Amino acid sequence: MTNLLYDALLGIRAADRNRVLLELPQGASISYAEMAQRAAQVAGALRAVGVRPGDRVVAQVAKSHAALALYLGCLRAGAVFVPLNTAYTPSEMAYFIEDAAPSLILCDPEAEASLATAARSVDAKLHTLGAAGEGSWSDAVAAAHPVDVTPRGPDDLACFLYTSGTTGRSKGAMLTHGNLHSNAEALVSCWRFTEADRLLHALPIFHAHGLFAACNVAMRAGASMLWQPEFDTFAVLAALPRATVMMGVPTYYTRLLATPGLDRAATAHMRVFTSGSAPLLADTHAAFAARTGHAILERYGMTETGMITSNPYVGARRPGTVGMPLLGVDLRLCVPGTAKPVPPGETGMIEVCGPNVFTGYWKKPEKTAAELRPDGWFITGDLGQLDADGYLHIVGREKDLIISGGYNVYPKEVEQVLDALSGVAESAVIGVPHSDYGEGVLAIIRAEPGATPTKATLRTAAEAALANFKRPKAYIFADALPRNTMGKVQKAALRQLHADRFANSKTDAAE
């Protein structure tokens, strides 16, 4: 028995010293063979600290080649990799650690003290790994003996990623070797990836987009990655002439468009630009095509499913649509709350079925049953329409999930922080169009009678409790919030009322 995902990504090229996997910003490079050696060392270090097949490994570490080796080492060792956003606060991390119950936690050296209590609560080892490779984990890897590849089949867990909804806490979406392998295969085929490609990689790798849609696809094809630690407009522009593919979120493209250096000459070597994780505005699509001659290829996916649809590589890439289902993926539109298909051309709940669909939510059988039907169809929570040519149009979300800069924000968590403050009677947190982030987080506050909470107080509370991407970008005070006859706040009305709040905003500072 082989290790399905590890073999497909790295194992089949483990002896290839001439094929470059990563080109680092400083000019150094790492071959496929060198990364395979590092993954074997990581697997040995995992065994040495007591991680066994099926154990969870939680990682809140900066993007680096060592972080990628950690992911691949977990696959090789049969561990379940659980990457977490580097912006999460210690209180947020405590929840994830308690829920995942990992055997090992890796964090930045500066975060070690703040996570020590949470690690002890689940009897997990705690190691550090910094952006430059410093920390106790690098020492452990250097001292370890390489271990053989652990057999893993299609149904074995490879990773789980924490996703979110509009209420409750984050859920761990369990993804198998088969899920991730099938999605990588489908995307290599759809986007025509080959060994000749060089992917400009500026995405984070704690996210499905940067880790699975980018790294997995590039490695499955045997391509190289131009490794950027983060998205920096000028660094990306400088690297573009050496790349053939770039994957990004809409924010990346709006920022590139704001830079004079983006033109046809800068993108002459590019084969394709893709966009996902948040809706791409039609105006951005048109402006980018006018400046570069490239029509951005927009696609649609979710943490629970990987990529679901894509605009075609050859054919019309239609602004405002996310294309057609990938090979092997079935999609249907149903009357919400039922499995009954809607008539052609009408709006329905998007449901998806295929080898890419996750197996359920970690330790949450009731949530799994509510969103994953017994016959394998996953209820996405998104509403869509199919046009006459089979292109999918996302027309809204059944829930109030906000996607800001490619990251999910669920309003309830932000509202709980704001509602706990003295002088705040209630808050309503919504997402409205933002020219840079796709959606900006906006908080509408109703104060208690006679109270005058300040925006500074609200910002301070948000900064203490929430990751940066969750914090409201503006606060508005209102005498009352619109409600329906059942007393529920009508967020749709608030979104309509404040739709232009961030239309021309270019600032990260909360107002």
Side-chain angles (χ1 to χ4, degrees):
M1 183 179 180
T2 61
N3 184 307
L4 178 63
L5 187 58
Y6 178 82
D7 289 346
L9 301 183
L10 192 58
I12 59 173
R13 298 180 183 86
D16 195 338
R17 297 188 175 279
N18 296 319
R19 188 174 306 284
V20 173
L21 171 57
L22 300 180
E23 292 187 29
L24 305 177
Q26 300 83 4
S29 65
I30 298 174
S31 71
Y32 275 84
E34 289 169 329
M35 184 57 77
Q37 292 172 344
R38 296 181 189 204
Q41 288 284 126
V42 169
L46 292 171
R47 287 283 182 272
V49 299
V51 175
R52 297 293 178 259
D55 285 357
R56 277 75 58 206
V57 175
V58 163
Q60 189 194 33
V61 297
K63 180 181 179 181
S64 67
H65 59 81
L68 183 63
L70 173 64
Y71 163 58
L72 294 165
C74 284
L75 295 181
R76 182 182 177 106
V80 180
F81 187 59
V82 186
L84 292 171
N85 195 320
T86 53
Y88 284 138
T89 64
S91 62
E92 290 168 318
M93 285 295 297
Y95 165 75
F96 295 120
I97 291 169
E98 178 183 3
D99 189 68
S103 295
L104 174 65
I105 301 163
L106 292 110
C107 66
D108 187 90
E110 293 185 0
E112 183 177 16
S114 66
L115 297 184
T117 299
R120 286 194 297 270
S121 72
V122 295
D123 195 27
K125 300 287 196 310
L126 180 63
H127 276 271
T128 59
L129 178 62
E134 74 280 15
S136 62
W137 183 244
S138 294
D139 296 335
V141 171
H145 297 289
V147 296
D148 292 336
V149 178
T150 300
R152 296 279 96 175
D155 296 331
D156 288 310
L157 285 184
C159 299
F160 62 78
L161 299 184
Y162 277 93
T163 185
S164 56
T166 57
T167 60
R169 302 303 297 267
S170 296
K171 308 180 293 291
M174 298 185 290
L175 298 162
T176 67
H177 281 250
N179 294 151
L180 300 179
H181 179 266
S182 70
N183 216 225
E185 292 280 343
L187 292 175
V188 167
S189 174
C190 180
W191 294 342
R192 311 277 180 98
F193 262 78
T194 72
E195 295 177 345
D197 275 312
R198 303 173 89 187
L199 171 67
L200 203 170
H201 196 303
L203 292 159
I205 59 170
F206 53 72
H207 193 275
H209 192 170
L211 189 57
F212 302 149
C215 292
N216 282 5
V217 170
M219 289 188 286
R220 183 68 190 100
S224 299
M225 291 185 275
L226 306 180
W227 199 246
Q228 300 285 329
E230 60 185 359
F231 180 83
D232 176 272
T233 305
F234 296 104
V236 166
L237 278 173
L240 274 177
R242 297 187 294 115
T244 63
V245 181
M246 176 179 159
M247 298 184 193
V249 298
T251 301
Y252 291 4
Y253 296 113
T254 60
R255 292 181 179 178
L256 285 171
L257 283 167
T259 306
L262 182 73
D263 54 26
R264 290 175 183 257
T267 60
H269 290 81
M270 294 298 291
R271 184 171 65 80
V272 66
F273 292 88
T274 74
S275 180
S277 298
L280 181 73
L281 298 179
D283 287 349
T284 303
H285 189 284
F288 197 87
R291 285 271 292 278
T292 68
H294 288 276
I296 297 172
L297 189 157
E298 190 171 10
R299 83 314 183 269
Y300 165 58
M302 300 186 73
T303 300
E304 294 93 337
T305 63
M307 296 307 105
I308 299 170
T309 68
S310 173
N311 268 272
Y313 183 77
V314 176
R317 299 175 191 170
R318 297 183 180 174
T321 78
V322 291
M324 293 160 279
L326 296 174
L327 184 67
V329 177
D330 292 320
L331 183 145
R332 68 188 184 189
L333 302 181
C334 294
V335 176
T338 77
K340 179 182 177 182
V342 299
E346 292 194 10
T347 297
M349 175 63 66
I350 301 169
E351 299 192 5
V352 60
C353 185
N356 56 309
V357 176
F358 77 139
T359 61
Y361 295 113
W362 173 252
K363 297 194 299 187
K364 288 181 170 53
E366 71 292 344
K367 294 289 186 182
T368 299
E371 298 183 27
L372 186 61
R373 298 186 187 278
D375 59 1
W377 285 91
F378 174 62
I379 305 166
T380 66
D382 289 328
L383 300 173
Q385 294 177 346
L386 288 169
D387 65 24
D389 296 320
Y391 285 71
L392 178 65
H393 300 245
I394 308 294
V395 299
R397 289 186 289 277
E398 184 183 42
K399 299 178 182 179
D400 294 320
L401 178 68
I402 301 166
I403 303 178
S404 184
Y407 299 133
N408 291 350
V409 180
Y410 42 104
K412 189 67 176 179
E413 184 179 9
V414 184
E415 289 165 356
Q416 287 173 339
V417 171
L418 300 177
D419 291 349
L421 297 176
S422 175
V424 174
E426 63 177 338
S427 63
V429 172
I430 59 173
V432 295
H434 191 290
S435 57
D436 197 14
Y437 290 93
E439 284 186 310
V441 182
L442 176 65
I444 298 94
I445 308 294
R446 183 173 68 83
E448 294 176 347
T452 55
T454 66
K455 292 182 180 181
T457 299
L458 299 171
R459 285 197 296 270
T460 298
E463 289 169 0
L466 301 167
N468 182 58
F469 66 89
K470 298 179 184 179
R471 300 169 194 163
K473 301 209 176 303
Y475 297 86
I476 294 174
F477 290 95
D479 294 332
L481 300 177
R483 299 180 184 276
N484 62 17
T485 55
M486 298 298 291
K488 184 177 180 180
V489 174
Q490 295 181 300
K491 290 192 173 180
L494 288 172
R495 284 192 287 267
Q496 184 176 7
L497 179 64
H498 300 291
D500 295 332
R501 189 67 178 82
F502 301 125
N504 298 303
S505 178
K506 293 294 183 181
T507 178
D508 290 345
E511 299 172 6

